[in-house]
């Protein structure tokens, strides 16, 4: 009994390898080699007689999401900051964000000199709770940022109605939801703008990268200026060796561009995204059933979700079980059984060790501002409970087969049955 769990010296459930991530698309090597010999490695490089990879990806990703405009950017963080600045958000403005998310949901707001207002989440979807948002609105609120977290789509009907009623822009952070749909519309196309991350771990990746999508031509033009040092793409053909980016003087920006290598890779990876998403979805449905049989509560999604995607598979620990240990200890035990990382869900941003405005001199903008951005002023009981009781599995595990899902369920069941042995 004392050696039943692998974390304490027992035999693990599994020793076979798991699918690797990232997985290059069939044309990835050819596309990268094409850039290498093209004489153009950046959108800010000279035109070479063919559409840039950046433009090719922008057009393909806009079409994929059913919108008219896509502006690629250097990262998801950059994309979110660009979208906020394109909305006119700046010094002292309040931006409502979920308290349960990756730290960038808060740090990006700070990065445009605004004030993040952290709100609690729905206990089942782990996405922004519309009722909590409404309670947090003030005369200083200038935008709402909703995050489609892990494998859930937020309650967009309620959030859009709320934003419309108060005349606020609604931004969708889709860093974890490429390809998800709400009432038949791709996420990111449901609000003022959608932002994406193409960082290493994401379901659509180029190692690093991002994008902003929108239906609004003027909004897209502002984003273009903001991400390319105040330049935007010429509205007419240019000659070989000339620059496609023109200096308009309309709006000062910064350099937040992707390289041609990243864009070329994204064009290829986009071609396999739907098939990979379907495989994850199929395996997640099986895993939902298997873990529910063990007493776990898999994360749900909002009622309007028509197509779900899985960046991370999240499940709440069985009621009344494993209450003497935290989710980190449970994750460590599951990792030992599976040979694949199982981790607690995000800590609330307000107590995330990566979120500390006081550690950056750039945010020391006066006593009043420092008081407003103090994360300790927020109470987020649902976020806190989720962090105590939720474990997560990266989507690479969902690219396996049914036997892999049974291994995961066996490990989860084993840890519950022998949970009394855990400490921490």
């Amino acid at each position: 009994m004392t050696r039943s769990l692998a974390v304490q010296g027992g035999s693990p459930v599994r020793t076979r390898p798991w699918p690797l991530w990232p997985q290059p698309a069939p044309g990835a090597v050819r596309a990268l080699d094409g850039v290498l010999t093209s004489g153009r490695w950046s959108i800010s490089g000279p035109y070479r007689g063919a559409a840039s990879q950046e433009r090719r990806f922008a057009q393909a990703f806009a079409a994929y999401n059913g919108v008219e405009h896509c502006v690629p950017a250097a990262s998801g963080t950059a994309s979110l900051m660009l979208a906020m600045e394109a909305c006119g958000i700046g010094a002292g403005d309040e931006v409502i964000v979920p308290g349960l998310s990756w730290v960038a949901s808060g740090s990006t707001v700070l990065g445009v000199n605004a004030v993040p207002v952290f709100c609690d989440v729905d206990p089942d979807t782990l996405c922004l709770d519309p009722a909590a948002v409404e309670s947090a609105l003030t005369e200083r609120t200038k935008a709402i940022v909703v995050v489609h977290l892990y494998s859930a789509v937020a309650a967009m009907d309620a959030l859009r109605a709320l934003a419309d009623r108060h005349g606020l822009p609604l931004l969708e952070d889709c860093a974890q939801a490429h390809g998800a749909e709400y009432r038949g519309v791709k996420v990111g196309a449901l609000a003022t703008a959608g932002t994406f991350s193409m960082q290493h771990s994401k379901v659509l990746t180029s190692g690093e990268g991002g994008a902003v999508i929108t239906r609004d031509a003027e909004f897209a033009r502002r984003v273009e200026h903001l991400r390319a040092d105040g330049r935007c793409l010429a509205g007419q053909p240019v000659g070989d060796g000339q620059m496609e980016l023109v200096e308009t003087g309309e709006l000062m920006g910064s350099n937040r561009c992707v390289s041609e290598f990243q864009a070329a890779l994204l064009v290829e990876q986009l071609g396999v995204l739907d098939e990979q998403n379907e495989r994850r979805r199929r395996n997640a449905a099986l895993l939902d059933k298997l873990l529910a049989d063990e007493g776990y509560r898999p994360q749900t999604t909002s009622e309007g979700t028509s197509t779900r995607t899985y960046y991370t598979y999240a499940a709440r620990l069985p009621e009344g079980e494993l209450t003497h240990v935290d989710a980190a200890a449970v994750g460590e035990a599951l990792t030992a059984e599976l040979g694949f990382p199982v981790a607690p869900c995000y800590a609330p941003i307000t107590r995330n060790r990566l979120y500390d405005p006081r550690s950056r001199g750039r945010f020391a903008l006066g006593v009043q501002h420092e008081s407003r951005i103090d994360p300790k002023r927020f109470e987020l009981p649902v976020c806190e409970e989720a962090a105590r009781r939720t474990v997560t599995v990266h989507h690479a595990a969902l690219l396996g087969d049914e036997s892999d899902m049974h291994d995961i369920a066996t490990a989860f069941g084993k840890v519950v049955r022998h949970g009394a042995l855990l400490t921490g």
Side-chain angles (χ1 to χ4, degrees), residues 335-365:
T335 298
E337 297 297 339
L338 291 168
F340 186 95
V342 180
C345 79
Y346 297 129
I349 300 176
T350 51
R351 64 172 178 83
N352 190 319
R353 69 177 65 184
L354 301 180
Y355 186 80
D356 182 8
R358 297 169 303 175
S359 68
R360 301 278 296 278
R362 65 178 295 186
F363 304 132
L365 301 177

Side-chain angles (χ1 to χ4, degrees), residues 143-158:
I144 300 167
V145 177
V146 56
V147 178
H148 303 301
L149 192 73
Y150 293 149
S151 68
V153 177
M156 290 302 294
D157 286 345

Side-chain angles (χ1 to χ4, degrees), residues 23 275-284 398-400:
Q23 297 180 4
E275 185 277 327
Q276 291 174 337
N277 274 343
E278 177 55 33
R279 204 183 328 163
R280 296 183 190 100
R281 197 157 37 242
R282 189 168 56 247
N283 281 326
L398 299 179
L399 291 173

Side-chain angles (χ1 to χ4, degrees), residues 18-19 150-151 176 201 203 280 283-284 287 291 296 299 309-317 330-331 334-335 338-346 390-400 404-405 407-409 411-412:
W18 292 89
Y150 293 149
S151 68
Q176 303 182 3
S201 67
V203 297
R280 296 183 190 100
N283 281 326
L287 194 54
L291 291 191
Y296 290 84
Q299 179 190 20
T309 60
Y310 289 81
Y311 165 69
T312 293
Y313 185 95
R316 188 178 294 261
L317 302 178
V330 177
L334 289 166
T335 298
L338 291 168
F340 186 95
V342 180
C345 79
Y346 297 129
T390 306
V391 292
T392 65
V393 179
H394 183 255
H395 67 81
L398 299 179
L399 291 173
D404 297 321
M405 302 308 104
D407 283 347
I408 293 172
F412 274 60

